[in-house]
Amino acid sequence: MMTENSIELAYFEVNQHGRLLSGNRRFCRMFGFEPSELQWHYVTDLYRHASDWNAFRNDTVNASFNMRMRNRRGRSFDCCITREIIQNADGEIVFRNTVHKVGEARGTTTSTTPLSMVFLTKCADCGAQIRVTSVAETRLRMLCNQCAAKAFPETYYTKSAQM
């Protein structure tokens, strides 16, 4: 993600329990990790104050956070974290984050990215992924459009004709 007047953004993913799932090279350089050892660490290893993780995880309103982070050597610095909350195919909540040190040039990206949540579930018949509107719907027996049209043609085509 390089643009003409900016640096590469540090990117990482973490699950709702705080385990680091992945990170790009910029993230690894910023925090002093090797890419192969990321899965052995928790995001709380990166926060200067452990209570910041709970504030980050439980806040569903804001998409951008300013926090004090620390690298593996213990040096701390102010960071801005911009996150996106998604739900993977297994129903787990995952935080996709970009992080940059406060004061770094960022190019065209802004820290006011709106918060978005995507909920996915599997079709009960064919197993295809379906986007749903809430976590509650992921627990229901849902059908994709093709399976719904096959199983309930009179209802499906009536509904689509009314729209």
Side-chain angles (χ1 to χ4, degrees):
M1 235 172 149
M2 294 285 276
T3 60
E4 191 173 322
N5 293 326
S6 70
I7 59 172
E8 177 186 359
L9 292 177
Y11 170 83
F12 70 102
E13 287 185 346
V14 62
N15 68 11
Q16 66 185 9
H17 304 293
R19 180 162 307 266
L20 290 171
L21 301 174
S22 65
N24 67 358
R25 288 181 19 191
R26 170 75 174 146
F27 173 80
C28 291
R29 283 192 311 266
M30 184 183 284
F31 290 97
F33 291 109
E34 293 294 325
S36 60
E37 64 185 359
L38 277 179
Q39 291 79 21
W40 297 101
H41 290 279
Y42 284 88
V43 75
T44 52
D45 297 342
L46 309 176
Y47 286 103
R48 179 80 170 120
H49 308 286
S51 61
D52 287 344
W53 163 245
N54 290 328
F56 176 85
R57 180 178 58 181
N58 296 326
D59 188 346
T60 58
V61 177
N62 298 312
S64 180
F65 302 87
N66 288 324
M67 296 189 175
R68 192 93 177 144
M69 305 290 277
R70 65 184 169 143
N71 64 14
R72 199 168 195 180
R73 290 181 237 141
R75 290 188 176 166
S76 61
F77 46 89
D78 290 323
C79 285
C80 181
I81 301 173
T82 305
R83 75 170 180 198
E84 178 184 14
I85 302 172
I86 63 153
Q87 184 179 22
N88 65 14
D90 297 328
E92 299 170 341
I93 301 294
V94 175
F95 300 105
R96 289 184 179 165
N97 309 285
T98 57
V99 61
H100 73 279
K101 291 180 182 178
V102 172
E104 281 184 342
R106 293 188 62 210
T108 59
T109 58
T110 61
S111 62
T112 58
T113 306
L115 179 67
S116 65
M117 295 184 84
V118 177
F119 299 103
L120 300 174
T121 189
K122 291 185 179 181
C123 175
D125 288 343
C126 69
Q129 283 190 349
I130 314 167
R131 180 177 270 188
V132 292
T133 58
S134 69
V135 173
E137 287 185 0
T138 63
R139 294 181 180 96
L140 299 174
R141 185 177 183 271
M142 302 294 291
L143 297 174
C144 65
N145 288 342
Q146 291 81 16
C147 293
K150 289 177 194 171
F152 309 103
E154 64 284 348
T155 306
Y156 182 79
Y157 291 115
T158 304
K159 181 181 174 185
S160 61
Q162 292 174 356
M163 290 183 178

